[in-house]
Amino acid sequence: MAIDLDVRELLVMGDSDLLIRQAQGEWETRDIKLIPYRQCVRDLSKKFKSIEFRYIPRFHNELADALATLASMLPYLGNTHIDPLEIQVRNQHSYYNTIKTEPDGEPWYHDIKRFLKTREYPEHAKGDQKRTIRQLASGFFLDGEILYKRTPDLNLLRCIDATEAEQIMSEVH
């Protein structure tokens, strides 16, 4: 693809120290099955003005780890076309973008907090809505007036409203 796009300088990053060192020519490729691939990399490398192979440990590259996990979950049939993944870099944290006030002026977690505090449902709640509030509430923890969301790794995330979020973000940044 890089050759088709007339790329002249290329940076190849990988999380396998063995493969990166073999591609750089620092280490030999002894496995008979891999020698043709190594030769292909050498031939392709000649088509670029400059090419650099860089090793990045997996624990320093969360994005690669997440993409590898996603790729392992997808069924792939031999000749299926997969569209490229577009990743956008934002100038602020994603959690900051998601804080909103509901039309009634209450934060999104108001019904869950009230249920944990008083075991009462909203007046307008029907059967399915009550069940949903109960299920959601099981993933939260109320400490006095402060509501926390439990995470799978047993951490607690504090739930804040838009005003608190604005205050915290202005203090931090």
Side-chain angles (χ1 to χ4, degrees), residues 71 73-82:
M73 296 173 161
L74 297 173
Y76 176 69
L77 305 174
N79 55 1
T80 304
H81 173 74
I82 299 175

Side-chain angles (χ1 to χ4, degrees), residues 101-121:
T101 304
E102 296 295 321
D104 62 1
E106 298 291 345
W108 63 269
Y109 56 83
H110 174 72
D111 293 335
I112 297 168
K113 185 175 180 179
R114 187 170 76 186
F115 177 77
L116 287 172
K117 191 186 270 188
T118 65
R119 291 292 182 201
E120 295 176 2
Y121 299 101

Side-chain angles (χ1 to χ4, degrees), residues 17 41 60 69 79 98 112 126 131:
D17 192 34
V41 169
H60 286 305
T69 302
N79 55 1
T98 61
I112 297 168
K126 306 231 185 309
R131 185 176 66 243

